[in-house]
Amino acid sequence: QVQLIESGGGLVQAGGSLRLSCAASGRTFSTYAIGWFRQAPGKEREFVAAISWSGGGTRYADSVKGRFTISRDNAQTTVYLQMNSLKPEDTAVYYCAASGSLNYVLGYARDYRYWGRGTQVTVSS
C-alpha cells in the first residue's frame, strides 16, 4: 500500500511559479508510476502529468506542456511538479496518484489506485 501527501500549493500571481511535492510512504513506492491530476470548481478531474516508476518516461497534458515539469526522487520517495508561467486557468486542487498499471500514460484516473488528498493552487490575474 502507498500513502501520498501533497504539499507546496498556495496563491501566486499569473506568470509565477510553484513547486508541488508528493511525499509517499510504503516500501513499494519505486514500483509505481505517479501522476498529477487537478480539479477546478465545477469541472471534472483532469490529467496533468505522469512519470514512470524509473523516472525515465514522462507525459504531459497539452495544456501544461512546456510549462510544467514532473520529476521523482525514489530515494526520497517524493515526486515533484514544477509549475512555471502559471495562468489563472491553472487554478485547481492538485492531486498526486500512484498507478501500478502500464496504462498510466493514458492519463485516466481509473488506472490510478492510490490518491492523496490534494493541495490548492490559486493563480491570480
Side-chain angles (χ1 to χ4, degrees):
Q1 188 171 357
V2 177
Q3 294 181 325
L4 305 171
I5 301 176
E6 303 93 338
S7 63
L11 173 64
V12 64
Q13 289 188 334
S17 298
L18 282 174
R19 188 176 80 157
L20 304 184
S21 297
C22 174
S25 63
R27 291 179 295 175
T28 59
F29 170 77
S30 62
T31 65
Y32 286 89
I34 300 294
W36 284 96
F37 291 77
R38 66 187 181 186
Q39 188 166 19
K43 295 187 177 181
E44 294 186 352
R45 188 169 299 189
E46 66 173 354
F47 170 77
V48 176
I51 189 166
S52 65
W53 66 272
S54 68
T58 58
R59 181 174 177 263
Y60 298 91
D62 288 343
S63 59
V64 306
K65 202 172 293 183
R67 300 188 298 122
F68 291 11
T69 302
I70 189 171
S71 62
R72 71 188 293 164
D73 182 341
N74 283 340
Q76 299 296 323
T77 62
T78 302
V79 172
Y80 304 98
L81 184 68
Q82 178 67 43
M83 306 187 296
N84 299 328
S85 302
L86 283 162
K87 305 175 181 180
E89 50 264 44
D90 294 318
T91 295
V93 177
Y94 283 70
Y95 301 88
C96 66
S99 172
S101 169
L102 292 177
N103 289 336
Y104 79 93
V105 293
L106 299 178
Y108 295 122
R110 65 173 181 256
D111 292 317
Y112 288 78
R113 181 174 183 181
Y114 302 106
W115 290 80
R117 293 188 175 184
T119 185
Q120 176 71 47
V121 171
T122 303
V123 184
S124 63
S125 57

